[in-house]
Amino acid sequence: MALRVYNTLTGEKELFVPLVPGKVGMYVCGVTVYDYCHIGHARAGVVFDIIYRYLKYAGYDVTYVRNYTDIDDKIINRANQEGTDYRTIADRYIEAFDEDMARLGLAKPTLEPKATDHMSGIIHIIESLIAKGHAYVSEGDVYYAVESFPDYLKLSGRNLEEMQAGARVEIGDKKRHPMDFALWKGSKPGEPWWQSPWGNGRPGWHIECSAMSMEFLGKTFDIHGGGKDLVFPHHENEIAQSEGANGCQFVRYWLHNGFVNINSEKMSKSLGNFFTIREVLKKYDPETLRFFILSAHYRSPIDFSDQNLDEAQSGLERIYSCLAALDDILKEQSPSAEITVVESLSQVGQELHEKIEQFLPRFVDAMDDDFNAAQALGVLFETVRGANRFIAETKEMTPLSLSLIAHVRHLLVEAGGVLGLFATAPDVWLSGIRSAKAVQIDLSPEEIERLIVERAEARGARDFKRGDEIRDLLLAKGIVLLDSAQGTTWNVK
RNA sequence: GGCGCGUUAUCCAAGAGGCUAGGAGCCGGUCUGCAAAACCGUUAACGUCGGUUCGAAUCCGACACGCGCCUCCA
């Protein structure tokens, strides 16, 4: 099967055929840098990260552009509040964005341009829109005349009359039509400005993306992505600008990720019900957050809650535990044999062999179907179960079973690479999770160790009553004892 | 008001006319002095009412409920 993607423009899943065979141009709207990122940004980041990774995995030469919008009213407002300049604000939150995305394990895009580095491109597009009658100058501002572009609203599937019926459109004297939007805004005193043929000012929101995408990907390119909330007005306006100026199709495939909800309601700045990535990462491991995001299809809404994050962590621990178990076996003996004589494997071994034979085709099928990561994870889990079962039932490791295990590990890590998972050594990740939980309790590790020793002594003397007392005491404080042949370790519940 | 989306077992979540999704949990088993942890096994579902079909979670229609966009948003 070949890659199929859901295109917002047509409302259908379509076969993905790039403009130039073997190459993909992809532009994703980054952020306006005026505050810390919330988990909605995390979702968009992760979703397009795995799309980027999968396209590369599928063999495409991908040029991935993700912008920073570093000039905007919100940035200026923030600067005014803090009594500083817009550049300070923008630079601070660009840095914060980079940190957050790095922690979430996002691969760096090919290019990460800033709006303010593309003023000449912006001005050039506006000039050409004016020349073609799509835009007009009004008191130092420049507006896009939406009525001059018959395809306006083709992405969101509305029409101008309906939009006005919504009646939440401000009618400014400067605009000819209430839906017209600003391409260039004349600067007020004290505001940052750039020179333009229409006087000093700054670009409106939307035009920077038309300019940067054209600069790096050309007038027509393959994929444009962003959150669903950008469909209108941002992407609609980008289409009007780019197609109005260039007279040709702007984007072939429009991809939009769904929202992050809190209690089934959209998380948003205006509702105030948002969590920043930093807040969430104080409590949860970044890979857990990524895994949670991947557990639902990228277009579906996803409900953010402690319970759902905890479940995601349990699931991820299951896979990491399996990887750790595979590592333990491979640490002692290296595989030497090729898997040729499948018949000599046990029944469970043959089943596992069959599973790993189907692994990549099934994984690819899932991802080919509009990047269905949730389904792809199902394939991983089934393989994990098969591997655990094989380990449990194999008394003695033969060269053949060792290579089977090595193969499983390789496949899980290969798929993990596409999903941005399992980059950490399993034992390191698992102990990281353990110690992160340990921070939350009020008993010192020394104290716990002392009690464990006391319990071991009691048990050695077959004083199980005392031993169980200690166990219950620790349990009451949220500490779970893990007995094994190698001794007793502990974990936080 | 206009446009659009969703409703799958206890919870989360894929699937989209006949084919075991998966995870968390529950329960049972292995292990254990007993437990826990881990592992294995198992369970159960398609909002309501109609229609199409040999066959419907899946297609069509109506209804109910929830949500989104139409204002800055990922």
Side-chain angles (χ1 to χ4, degrees), chain A residues 208-237:
Chain A
E208 82 283 16
C209 286
S210 285
M212 288 183 273
S213 60
M214 192 177 17
E215 168 80 26
F216 296 112
L217 300 172
K219 293 178 178 175
T220 303
F221 57 92
D222 299 300
I223 294 175
H224 192 132
K228 265 196 167 93
D229 45 359
L230 295 182
V231 173
F232 183 88
H234 187 53
H235 290 160
E236 204 70 74
N237 292 354

PDB file of all heavy atoms in Angstrom, chain A residues 208-237:
ATOM      1  N   GLU A 208       3.658  36.443   6.601  1.00  0.00           N
ATOM      2  CA  GLU A 208       5.014  35.915   6.801  1.00  0.00           C
ATOM      3  C   GLU A 208       5.118  34.462   6.343  1.00  0.00           C
ATOM      4  O   GLU A 208       6.151  34.039   5.815  1.00  0.00           O
ATOM      5  CB  GLU A 208       5.441  36.095   8.269  1.00  0.00           C
ATOM      6  CG  GLU A 208       4.955  35.061   9.274  1.00  0.00           C
ATOM      7  CD  GLU A 208       3.487  35.236   9.690  1.00  0.00           C
ATOM      8  OE1 GLU A 208       2.749  35.965   9.003  1.00  0.00           O
ATOM      9  OE2 GLU A 208       3.071  34.612  10.684  1.00  0.00           O
ATOM     10  N   CYS A 209       4.027  33.718   6.527  1.00  0.00           N
ATOM     11  CA  CYS A 209       4.086  32.308   6.124  1.00  0.00           C
ATOM     12  C   CYS A 209       4.075  32.160   4.606  1.00  0.00           C
ATOM     13  O   CYS A 209       4.734  31.277   4.062  1.00  0.00           O
ATOM     14  CB  CYS A 209       2.931  31.526   6.748  1.00  0.00           C
ATOM     15  SG  CYS A 209       3.179  31.222   8.510  1.00  0.00           S
ATOM     16  N   SER A 210       3.321  33.033   3.934  1.00  0.00           N
ATOM     17  CA  SER A 210       3.356  33.014   2.467  1.00  0.00           C
ATOM     18  C   SER A 210       4.773  33.317   1.977  1.00  0.00           C
ATOM     19  O   SER A 210       5.277  32.665   1.058  1.00  0.00           O
ATOM     20  CB  SER A 210       2.396  34.066   1.891  1.00  0.00           C
ATOM     21  OG  SER A 210       1.052  33.633   2.023  1.00  0.00           O
ATOM     22  N   ALA A 211       5.410  34.292   2.619  1.00  0.00           N
ATOM     23  CA  ALA A 211       6.744  34.712   2.170  1.00  0.00           C
ATOM     24  C   ALA A 211       7.788  33.625   2.431  1.00  0.00           C
ATOM     25  O   ALA A 211       8.584  33.284   1.554  1.00  0.00           O
ATOM     26  CB  ALA A 211       7.137  36.004   2.873  1.00  0.00           C
ATOM     27  N   MET A 212       7.770  33.084   3.642  1.00  0.00           N
ATOM     28  CA  MET A 212       8.821  32.109   3.986  1.00  0.00           C
ATOM     29  C   MET A 212       8.646  30.793   3.246  1.00  0.00           C
ATOM     30  O   MET A 212       9.623  30.173   2.834  1.00  0.00           O
ATOM     31  CB  MET A 212       8.844  31.899   5.502  1.00  0.00           C
ATOM     32  CG  MET A 212       9.403  33.107   6.232  1.00  0.00           C
ATOM     33  SD  MET A 212       9.534  32.854   8.021  1.00  0.00           S
ATOM     34  CE  MET A 212       7.913  33.351   8.575  1.00  0.00           C
ATOM     35  N   SER A 213       7.396  30.360   3.069  1.00  0.00           N
ATOM     36  CA  SER A 213       7.211  29.097   2.357  1.00  0.00           C
ATOM     37  C   SER A 213       7.640  29.236   0.901  1.00  0.00           C
ATOM     38  O   SER A 213       8.272  28.345   0.344  1.00  0.00           O
ATOM     39  CB  SER A 213       5.755  28.625   2.471  1.00  0.00           C
ATOM     40  OG  SER A 213       4.864  29.572   1.916  1.00  0.00           O
ATOM     41  N   MET A 214       7.307  30.394   0.301  1.00  0.00           N
ATOM     42  CA  MET A 214       7.700  30.592  -1.099  1.00  0.00           C
ATOM     43  C   MET A 214       9.213  30.655  -1.242  1.00  0.00           C
ATOM     44  O   MET A 214       9.783  30.083  -2.165  1.00  0.00           O
ATOM     45  CB  MET A 214       7.071  31.873  -1.658  1.00  0.00           C
ATOM     46  CG  MET A 214       7.228  31.917  -3.149  1.00  0.00           C
ATOM     47  SD  MET A 214       6.501  33.296  -4.058  1.00  0.00           S
ATOM     48  CE  MET A 214       6.160  34.561  -2.972  1.00  0.00           C
ATOM     49  N   GLU A 215       9.836  31.337  -0.295  1.00  0.00           N
ATOM     50  CA  GLU A 215      11.294  31.480  -0.328  1.00  0.00           C
ATOM     51  C   GLU A 215      11.990  30.113  -0.349  1.00  0.00           C
ATOM     52  O   GLU A 215      12.932  29.899  -1.102  1.00  0.00           O
ATOM     53  CB  GLU A 215      11.744  32.276   0.904  1.00  0.00           C
ATOM     54  CG  GLU A 215      13.228  32.279   1.176  1.00  0.00           C
ATOM     55  CD  GLU A 215      13.993  33.267   0.310  1.00  0.00           C
ATOM     56  OE1 GLU A 215      13.369  34.260  -0.111  1.00  0.00           O
ATOM     57  OE2 GLU A 215      15.193  33.031   0.056  1.00  0.00           O
ATOM     58  N   PHE A 216      11.537  29.219   0.508  1.00  0.00           N
ATOM     59  CA  PHE A 216      12.278  27.955   0.664  1.00  0.00           C
ATOM     60  C   PHE A 216      11.691  26.780  -0.101  1.00  0.00           C
ATOM     61  O   PHE A 216      12.384  25.807  -0.374  1.00  0.00           O
ATOM     62  CB  PHE A 216      12.377  27.588   2.141  1.00  0.00           C
ATOM     63  CG  PHE A 216      13.169  28.595   2.933  1.00  0.00           C
ATOM     64  CD1 PHE A 216      12.552  29.403   3.877  1.00  0.00           C
ATOM     65  CD2 PHE A 216      14.528  28.768   2.695  1.00  0.00           C
ATOM     66  CE1 PHE A 216      13.272  30.343   4.597  1.00  0.00           C
ATOM     67  CE2 PHE A 216      15.265  29.714   3.403  1.00  0.00           C
ATOM     68  CZ  PHE A 216      14.637  30.510   4.356  1.00  0.00           C
ATOM     69  N   LEU A 217      10.402  26.850  -0.414  1.00  0.00           N
ATOM     70  CA  LEU A 217       9.767  25.673  -1.028  1.00  0.00           C
ATOM     71  C   LEU A 217       9.189  25.965  -2.410  1.00  0.00           C
ATOM     72  O   LEU A 217       8.730  25.051  -3.092  1.00  0.00           O
ATOM     73  CB  LEU A 217       8.659  25.142  -0.105  1.00  0.00           C
ATOM     74  CG  LEU A 217       9.121  24.706   1.293  1.00  0.00           C
ATOM     75  CD1 LEU A 217       7.921  24.388   2.176  1.00  0.00           C
ATOM     76  CD2 LEU A 217      10.052  23.499   1.217  1.00  0.00           C
ATOM     77  N   GLY A 218       9.164  27.223  -2.786  1.00  0.00           N
ATOM     78  CA  GLY A 218       8.629  27.569  -4.098  1.00  0.00           C
ATOM     79  C   GLY A 218       7.173  27.976  -4.042  1.00  0.00           C
ATOM     80  O   GLY A 218       6.547  27.993  -2.991  1.00  0.00           O
ATOM     81  N   LYS A 219       6.647  28.322  -5.221  1.00  0.00           N
ATOM     82  CA  LYS A 219       5.277  28.825  -5.283  1.00  0.00           C
ATOM     83  C   LYS A 219       4.247  27.739  -4.989  1.00  0.00           C
ATOM     84  O   LYS A 219       3.170  28.010  -4.492  1.00  0.00           O
ATOM     85  CB  LYS A 219       5.011  29.434  -6.664  1.00  0.00           C
ATOM     86  CG  LYS A 219       5.830  30.692  -6.912  1.00  0.00           C
ATOM     87  CD  LYS A 219       5.609  31.260  -8.292  1.00  0.00           C
ATOM     88  CE  LYS A 219       6.413  32.557  -8.457  1.00  0.00           C
ATOM     89  NZ  LYS A 219       6.323  33.099  -9.827  1.00  0.00           N
ATOM     90  N   THR A 220       4.579  26.526  -5.370  1.00  0.00           N
ATOM     91  CA  THR A 220       3.710  25.388  -5.078  1.00  0.00           C
ATOM     92  C   THR A 220       4.530  24.342  -4.345  1.00  0.00           C
ATOM     93  O   THR A 220       5.654  24.041  -4.750  1.00  0.00           O
ATOM     94  CB  THR A 220       3.180  24.764  -6.396  1.00  0.00           C
ATOM     95  OG1 THR A 220       2.492  25.762  -7.142  1.00  0.00           O
ATOM     96  CG2 THR A 220       2.223  23.621  -6.097  1.00  0.00           C
ATOM     97  N   PHE A 221       4.000  23.837  -3.273  1.00  0.00           N
ATOM     98  CA  PHE A 221       4.715  22.754  -2.583  1.00  0.00           C
ATOM     99  C   PHE A 221       3.730  21.727  -2.034  1.00  0.00           C
ATOM    100  O   PHE A 221       2.517  21.887  -2.161  1.00  0.00           O
ATOM    101  CB  PHE A 221       5.653  23.300  -1.504  1.00  0.00           C
ATOM    102  CG  PHE A 221       4.980  24.148  -0.457  1.00  0.00           C
ATOM    103  CD1 PHE A 221       4.515  23.578   0.721  1.00  0.00           C
ATOM    104  CD2 PHE A 221       4.829  25.522  -0.637  1.00  0.00           C
ATOM    105  CE1 PHE A 221       3.904  24.348   1.702  1.00  0.00           C
ATOM    106  CE2 PHE A 221       4.209  26.304   0.337  1.00  0.00           C
ATOM    107  CZ  PHE A 221       3.750  25.725   1.502  1.00  0.00           C
ATOM    108  N   ASP A 222       4.273  20.674  -1.439  1.00  0.00           N
ATOM    109  CA  ASP A 222       3.467  19.481  -1.167  1.00  0.00           C
ATOM    110  C   ASP A 222       2.573  19.573   0.065  1.00  0.00           C
ATOM    111  O   ASP A 222       1.378  19.376  -0.021  1.00  0.00           O
ATOM    112  CB  ASP A 222       4.388  18.260  -1.032  1.00  0.00           C
ATOM    113  CG  ASP A 222       5.165  18.003  -2.301  1.00  0.00           C
ATOM    114  OD1 ASP A 222       4.518  17.773  -3.339  1.00  0.00           O
ATOM    115  OD2 ASP A 222       6.404  18.078  -2.275  1.00  0.00           O
ATOM    116  N   ILE A 223       3.189  19.801   1.217  1.00  0.00           N
ATOM    117  CA  ILE A 223       2.442  19.673   2.472  1.00  0.00           C
ATOM    118  C   ILE A 223       2.523  20.950   3.282  1.00  0.00           C
ATOM    119  O   ILE A 223       3.600  21.530   3.444  1.00  0.00           O
ATOM    120  CB  ILE A 223       3.000  18.508   3.317  1.00  0.00           C
ATOM    121  CG1 ILE A 223       2.750  17.171   2.619  1.00  0.00           C
ATOM    122  CG2 ILE A 223       2.362  18.489   4.719  1.00  0.00           C
ATOM    123  CD1 ILE A 223       3.366  15.977   3.315  1.00  0.00           C
ATOM    124  N   HIS A 224       1.367  21.378   3.758  1.00  0.00           N
ATOM    125  CA  HIS A 224       1.343  22.480   4.707  1.00  0.00           C
ATOM    126  C   HIS A 224       0.553  21.997   5.915  1.00  0.00           C
ATOM    127  O   HIS A 224      -0.532  21.455   5.780  1.00  0.00           O
ATOM    128  CB  HIS A 224       0.675  23.703   4.086  1.00  0.00           C
ATOM    129  CG  HIS A 224       0.855  24.967   4.895  1.00  0.00           C
ATOM    130  ND1 HIS A 224       1.248  26.152   4.345  1.00  0.00           N
ATOM    131  CD2 HIS A 224       0.712  25.210   6.212  1.00  0.00           C
ATOM    132  CE1 HIS A 224       1.319  27.085   5.288  1.00  0.00           C
ATOM    133  NE2 HIS A 224       0.998  26.526   6.446  1.00  0.00           N
ATOM    134  N   GLY A 225       1.135  22.189   7.091  1.00  0.00           N
ATOM    135  CA  GLY A 225       0.494  21.666   8.292  1.00  0.00           C
ATOM    136  C   GLY A 225       0.320  22.711   9.364  1.00  0.00           C
ATOM    137  O   GLY A 225       0.851  23.819   9.295  1.00  0.00           O
ATOM    138  N   GLY A 226      -0.454  22.311  10.371  1.00  0.00           N
ATOM    139  CA  GLY A 226      -0.682  23.167  11.530  1.00  0.00           C
ATOM    140  C   GLY A 226      -1.875  22.636  12.301  1.00  0.00           C
ATOM    141  O   GLY A 226      -2.462  21.624  11.932  1.00  0.00           O
ATOM    142  N   GLY A 227      -2.209  23.319  13.361  1.00  0.00           N
ATOM    143  CA  GLY A 227      -3.370  22.912  14.159  1.00  0.00           C
ATOM    144  C   GLY A 227      -4.658  23.233  13.433  1.00  0.00           C
ATOM    145  O   GLY A 227      -4.703  24.119  12.579  1.00  0.00           O
ATOM    146  N   LYS A 228      -5.708  22.512  13.799  1.00  0.00           N
ATOM    147  CA  LYS A 228      -7.019  22.720  13.172  1.00  0.00           C
ATOM    148  C   LYS A 228      -7.485  24.167  13.299  1.00  0.00           C
ATOM    149  O   LYS A 228      -8.220  24.665  12.447  1.00  0.00           O
ATOM    150  CB  LYS A 228      -8.059  21.833  13.858  1.00  0.00           C
ATOM    151  CG  LYS A 228      -8.311  20.516  13.184  1.00  0.00           C
ATOM    152  CD  LYS A 228      -9.608  19.888  13.692  1.00  0.00           C
ATOM    153  CE  LYS A 228     -10.063  18.739  12.835  1.00  0.00           C
ATOM    154  NZ  LYS A 228      -9.602  17.429  13.268  1.00  0.00           N
ATOM    155  N   ASP A 229      -7.098  24.802  14.380  1.00  0.00           N
ATOM    156  CA  ASP A 229      -7.564  26.172  14.594  1.00  0.00           C
ATOM    157  C   ASP A 229      -6.955  27.167  13.612  1.00  0.00           C
ATOM    158  O   ASP A 229      -7.369  28.317  13.562  1.00  0.00           O
ATOM    159  CB  ASP A 229      -7.312  26.617  16.033  1.00  0.00           C
ATOM    160  CG  ASP A 229      -5.924  26.249  16.511  1.00  0.00           C
ATOM    161  OD1 ASP A 229      -5.175  25.638  15.750  1.00  0.00           O
ATOM    162  OD2 ASP A 229      -5.596  26.599  17.655  1.00  0.00           O
ATOM    163  N   LEU A 230      -5.989  26.706  12.836  1.00  0.00           N
ATOM    164  CA  LEU A 230      -5.381  27.620  11.869  1.00  0.00           C
ATOM    165  C   LEU A 230      -6.076  27.587  10.515  1.00  0.00           C
ATOM    166  O   LEU A 230      -5.779  28.406   9.647  1.00  0.00           O
ATOM    167  CB  LEU A 230      -3.898  27.281  11.691  1.00  0.00           C
ATOM    168  CG  LEU A 230      -3.022  27.476  12.934  1.00  0.00           C
ATOM    169  CD1 LEU A 230      -1.572  27.140  12.601  1.00  0.00           C
ATOM    170  CD2 LEU A 230      -3.109  28.903  13.458  1.00  0.00           C
ATOM    171  N   VAL A 231      -6.991  26.654  10.345  1.00  0.00           N
ATOM    172  CA  VAL A 231      -7.661  26.526   9.045  1.00  0.00           C
ATOM    173  C   VAL A 231      -8.270  27.875   8.655  1.00  0.00           C
ATOM    174  O   VAL A 231      -8.053  28.380   7.560  1.00  0.00           O
ATOM    175  CB  VAL A 231      -8.747  25.439   9.080  1.00  0.00           C
ATOM    176  CG1 VAL A 231      -9.555  25.427   7.794  1.00  0.00           C
ATOM    177  CG2 VAL A 231      -8.123  24.068   9.328  1.00  0.00           C
ATOM    178  N   PHE A 232      -9.043  28.417   9.572  1.00  0.00           N
ATOM    179  CA  PHE A 232      -9.520  29.783   9.390  1.00  0.00           C
ATOM    180  C   PHE A 232      -9.112  30.591  10.606  1.00  0.00           C
ATOM    181  O   PHE A 232      -9.310  30.130  11.726  1.00  0.00           O
ATOM    182  CB  PHE A 232     -11.050  29.842   9.226  1.00  0.00           C
ATOM    183  CG  PHE A 232     -11.514  31.239   8.969  1.00  0.00           C
ATOM    184  CD1 PHE A 232     -11.573  31.728   7.683  1.00  0.00           C
ATOM    185  CD2 PHE A 232     -11.811  32.091  10.035  1.00  0.00           C
ATOM    186  CE1 PHE A 232     -11.949  33.045   7.454  1.00  0.00           C
ATOM    187  CE2 PHE A 232     -12.181  33.401   9.799  1.00  0.00           C
ATOM    188  CZ  PHE A 232     -12.246  33.878   8.510  1.00  0.00           C
ATOM    189  N   PRO A 233      -8.594  31.772  10.440  1.00  0.00           N
ATOM    190  CA  PRO A 233      -8.362  32.446   9.168  1.00  0.00           C
ATOM    191  C   PRO A 233      -6.961  32.238   8.577  1.00  0.00           C
ATOM    192  O   PRO A 233      -6.741  32.538   7.407  1.00  0.00           O
ATOM    193  CB  PRO A 233      -8.506  33.915   9.562  1.00  0.00           C
ATOM    194  CG  PRO A 233      -7.992  33.985  10.965  1.00  0.00           C
ATOM    195  CD  PRO A 233      -8.346  32.670  11.599  1.00  0.00           C
ATOM    196  N   HIS A 234      -6.024  31.719   9.390  1.00  0.00           N
ATOM    197  CA  HIS A 234      -4.623  31.792   8.977  1.00  0.00           C
ATOM    198  C   HIS A 234      -4.349  31.118   7.628  1.00  0.00           C
ATOM    199  O   HIS A 234      -3.807  31.739   6.714  1.00  0.00           O
ATOM    200  CB  HIS A 234      -3.748  31.194  10.073  1.00  0.00           C
ATOM    201  CG  HIS A 234      -2.285  31.355   9.837  1.00  0.00           C
ATOM    202  ND1 HIS A 234      -1.701  32.570   9.575  1.00  0.00           N
ATOM    203  CD2 HIS A 234      -1.278  30.449   9.791  1.00  0.00           C
ATOM    204  CE1 HIS A 234      -0.401  32.404   9.405  1.00  0.00           C
ATOM    205  NE2 HIS A 234      -0.126  31.129   9.519  1.00  0.00           N
ATOM    206  N   HIS A 235      -4.712  29.870   7.505  1.00  0.00           N
ATOM    207  CA  HIS A 235      -4.370  29.168   6.273  1.00  0.00           C
ATOM    208  C   HIS A 235      -5.216  29.629   5.085  1.00  0.00           C
ATOM    209  O   HIS A 235      -4.740  29.669   3.943  1.00  0.00           O
ATOM    210  CB  HIS A 235      -4.487  27.656   6.490  1.00  0.00           C
ATOM    211  CG  HIS A 235      -3.410  27.133   7.397  1.00  0.00           C
ATOM    212  ND1 HIS A 235      -3.488  25.943   8.068  1.00  0.00           N
ATOM    213  CD2 HIS A 235      -2.212  27.683   7.753  1.00  0.00           C
ATOM    214  CE1 HIS A 235      -2.383  25.778   8.790  1.00  0.00           C
ATOM    215  NE2 HIS A 235      -1.596  26.811   8.623  1.00  0.00           N
ATOM    216  N   GLU A 236      -6.441  29.964   5.392  1.00  0.00           N
ATOM    217  CA  GLU A 236      -7.296  30.514   4.343  1.00  0.00           C
ATOM    218  C   GLU A 236      -6.655  31.783   3.761  1.00  0.00           C
ATOM    219  O   GLU A 236      -6.624  31.974   2.532  1.00  0.00           O
ATOM    220  CB  GLU A 236      -8.649  30.855   4.984  1.00  0.00           C
ATOM    221  CG  GLU A 236      -9.793  30.897   4.039  1.00  0.00           C
ATOM    222  CD  GLU A 236     -10.189  29.524   3.511  1.00  0.00           C
ATOM    223  OE1 GLU A 236     -10.789  28.715   4.231  1.00  0.00           O
ATOM    224  OE2 GLU A 236      -9.885  29.287   2.328  1.00  0.00           O
ATOM    225  N   ASN A 237      -6.145  32.610   4.641  1.00  0.00           N
ATOM    226  CA  ASN A 237      -5.535  33.861   4.194  1.00  0.00           C
ATOM    227  C   ASN A 237      -4.200  33.628   3.494  1.00  0.00           C
ATOM    228  O   ASN A 237      -3.854  34.338   2.549  1.00  0.00           O
ATOM    229  CB  ASN A 237      -5.360  34.810   5.378  1.00  0.00           C
ATOM    230  CG  ASN A 237      -6.704  35.301   5.901  1.00  0.00           C
ATOM    231  OD1 ASN A 237      -7.750  35.017   5.300  1.00  0.00           O
ATOM    232  ND2 ASN A 237      -6.700  36.025   7.009  1.00  0.00           N
TER     233      ASN A 237
END
